């Protein structure tokens, strides 16, 4: 069950909060519809419940907030808005990637695809899906962890009547098995047809919390819509017959409203009765349909802190069901999240589409061409080794690593299936750690592959006339790897901080364009003291003892860091990482 208590969003500038002290419950075994017109605060309420937006109040899922749930995706399945995903990724690959982040076995992807009717399209690309298929895929992602609760934002929006009927049947079957379903809707008719409980909100405040039957009697009014060239005459005839008919306590009063032109609205009569009246009097009818009018929305009225409008009273059966707790959904426990699950997710995310492979191949090709041209022009060995022409701010391989890092923060924090995990800072840091490891491996592989390809091509084309490796080749390779790794991490952290791949790549270019000149100017000043001999002094202390062979490696690392590019990358990475962590901590909802 879900208990939303005092949900209040952060007030906007000179405007009231989108959600204001909203409190309601969604019980297990029932479908609860959060009803409201566009802009009423339905989506904002769901985002507050899932801790995606800052605000006050709390949402309890079976008595626990999401940050106290060991496996949130196991507890809550979410579908918010459209289903984001790379258009080149297959449906099965998309779900397996999300399952890796949630700690779900890969076979679960095929199971939920069969449940939503996409089993035969598992290998089809997401970009080829229709809107209805896209919504089915979103439901499959929400069901991936076999959750106890479903939270869906306008799940039937844009669906055909047939797809809407299928969706309602699926949600009803889920609730009948004991699950709690909370969905938003702007259609009172849909809320009455589908929901067991209807929670109506207006301007972010609770208006009514009613049983669906009570809501239908209070808000829905059936009518017959008539279109006739003799609308005025037909209205007069229906009104005259109703005045002469014997009144009955079980028959609702007849009301005829002339909407203007050739349109009538008849309340209290069926289509058959209106059609028979028109036939008896020889009146031509062009259209005759049954529709439903919605009564005006009542304003919130609070009595002693509670909403007074439409309260159906307590139901002993529901109280017993609530006390029994959930339910008949018996599930095997999932293993606790470990250090492997974010790595599995990131590997599937990186290797599942061709974008990363194309970037890597393009940067290797450009680096190879640059190395050959530099060798032909007699460029220095270090420029030849990195394939770094003087006009470029960074070598092609380092730029490629920066692009891979910027692409690493794609859409994972917008994936509906991962929404319960997003509100937790430790889980987001775990995903960041997985991204840092995978991006580092890709950057180092790109760095050494570019050196090997360039050196092999130069030796093949020019023979021994060109020196491929410098004398201090160890220091050069360490520096080259550090540069590529720093560019990849700078792009990763900047893209995660600004939520933009373009800004992530711009942060990579800012390092050589702006940070390096500033650091070079600072380091150009004469120093009164030097760090020479630091490894030996550290090794001589009683607290730090290591083999003598590590002295050379530490000295090499210090020489690399002492370069302006090294200082610039360290300062940039430190600032981006601190800003990213600070953004996570400040963005936690209260």
């Amino acid at each position: 069950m879900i208990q939303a208590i005092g949900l209040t969003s952060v007030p906007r500038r000179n405007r009231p909060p989108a959600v204001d002290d909203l409190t309601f419950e969604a019980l297990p075994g029932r479908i609860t519809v959060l009803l409201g017109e566009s802009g009423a605060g339905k989506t904002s309420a769901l985002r507050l419940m899932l801790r995606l937006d800052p605000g006050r109040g709390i949402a309890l899922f079976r008595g626990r907030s999401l940050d106290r749930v060991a496996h949130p995706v196991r507890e809550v399945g979410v579908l918010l808005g459209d289903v984001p995903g790379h258009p080149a990724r297959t449906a099965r690959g998309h779900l397996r990637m999300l399952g890796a982040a949630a700690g779900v076995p890969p076979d679960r992807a095929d199971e939920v695809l069969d449940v939503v009717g996409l089993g035969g399209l598992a290998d089809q690309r997401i970009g080829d899906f229709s809107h209805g298929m896209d919504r089915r895929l979103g439901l499959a992602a929400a069901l991936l962890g076999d959750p106890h609760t479903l939270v869906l934002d306008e799940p039937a929006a844009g669906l055909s009547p047939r797809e809407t009927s299928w969706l309602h049947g699926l949600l009803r079957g889920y609730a009948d098995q004991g699950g709690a379903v909370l969905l938003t809707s702007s259609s009172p008719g849909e809320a009455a047809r589908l929901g067991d409980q209807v929670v109506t909100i207006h301007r972010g405040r609770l208006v009514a919390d009613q049983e669906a039957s009570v809501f239908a009697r209070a808000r829905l009014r059936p009518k017959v819509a008539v279109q006739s060239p003799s609308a005025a005459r037909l209205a007069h005839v229906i009104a005259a017959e109703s005045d002469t008919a014997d009144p009955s306590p079980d028959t609702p009063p007849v009301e005829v409203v002339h909407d203007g032109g050739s349109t009538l609205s008849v309340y209290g009569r069926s289509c058959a009765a209106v059609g028979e009246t028109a036939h008896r009097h020889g009146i031509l009818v062009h259209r005759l349909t049954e529709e439903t009018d919605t009564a005006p929305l009542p304003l919130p009225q609070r009595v002693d802190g509670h909403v007074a409008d439409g309260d159906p009273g307590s139901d002993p059966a529901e109280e017993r069901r609530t006390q029994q707790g959930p339910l008949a959904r018996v599930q095997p426990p999932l293993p606790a999240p470990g250090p492997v699950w974010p790595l599995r997710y990131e590997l599937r995310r990186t290797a599942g589409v061709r974008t990363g492979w194309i970037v890597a191949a393009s940067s290797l090709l450009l680096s190879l061409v640059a190395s050959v041209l530099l060798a032909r022009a007699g460029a220095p060995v270090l420029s030849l080794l990195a394939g770094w022409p003087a006009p470029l701010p960074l070598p092609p391989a380092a730029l490629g690593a920066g692009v891979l890092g910027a692409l690493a923060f794609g859409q994972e924090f917008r994936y509906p299936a991962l929404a319960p995990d997003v509100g937790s800072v430790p889980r987001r840091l775990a995903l960041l750690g997985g991204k840092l490891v995978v991006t580092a491996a890709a950057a180092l592989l790109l760095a050494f592959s570019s050196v090997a390809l360039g050196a092999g091509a130069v030796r093949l084309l020019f023979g021994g006339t060109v020196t491929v490796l410098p004398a201090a080749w160890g220091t050069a390779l360490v520096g080259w790897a550090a540069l590529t790794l720093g560019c990849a991490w700078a792009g990763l952290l900047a893209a995660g901080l600004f939520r933009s791949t373009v800004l992530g790549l711009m942060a990579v270019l800012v390092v050589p364009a702006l940070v390096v000149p500033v650091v070079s100017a600072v380091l150009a000043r004469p120093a009164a003291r030097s760090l020479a001999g630091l490894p030996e002094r550290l090794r001589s202390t009683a607290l730090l003892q290591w083999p003598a062979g590590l002295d050379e490696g530490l000295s090499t690392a210090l020489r690399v860091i002492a370069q302006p590019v090294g200082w610039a990358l360290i300062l940039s990475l430190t600032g981006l990482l601190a800003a990213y962590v600070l953004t996570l901590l400040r963005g936690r909802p209260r």
Side-chain angles (χ1 to χ4, degrees), residues 524-544:
R525 300 175 182 176
R529 295 176 177 83
S530 173
L531 296 177
L534 177 61
E536 292 79 6
R537 291 193 296 273
L538 290 175
R539 184 169 173 269
S540 63
T541 62
L543 298 178
L544 296 176

Side-chain angles (χ1 to χ4, degrees), residues 467-530:
T467 302
V468 177
L469 294 177
W473 60 270
T475 303
L477 288 180
V478 171
W480 170 236
L483 174 64
T484 310
L485 179 61
C487 290
W489 280 356
L492 168 68
L493 293 172
L497 178 63
F498 301 112
R499 294 294 187 267
S500 171
T501 300
V502 175
L503 292 180
L505 182 58
M506 290 181 61
V508 176
L509 297 176
V510 162
V511 173
L514 297 179
V515 182
V516 170
V518 173
V519 174
S520 299
V522 173
L523 296 180
R525 300 175 182 176
R529 295 176 177 83
S530 173

Side-chain angles (χ1 to χ4, degrees), residues 187-193 212 215-222 292-295:
S187 170
E190 180 187 29
R193 288 192 305 271
F215 168 80
R217 290 195 300 269
R219 293 288 310 280
L220 301 182
R221 189 182 183 192
T292 301
D293 260 359
T294 305

Side-chain angles (χ1 to χ4, degrees), residues 30-31 139 143 150 152 155-156 164-177 179-183 190 194 196:
R30 293 167 65 88
I31 297 178
L139 281 174
L143 296 170
L150 286 181
L152 313 174
T164 301
S165 177
W166 168 86
L167 172 65
H168 290 180
L170 177 67
L171 297 181
R172 175 53 59 190
Y174 180 89
D176 290 342
Q177 293 178 8
V181 180
L182 173 64
L183 60 92
E190 180 187 29
L194 176 61
D196 300 304

Side-chain angles (χ1 to χ4, degrees), residues 21-34:
D21 195 20
L22 183 60
T23 300
F24 65 92
E25 289 185 353
L27 301 178
R30 293 167 65 88
I31 297 178
T32 302
V33 180
L34 190 61

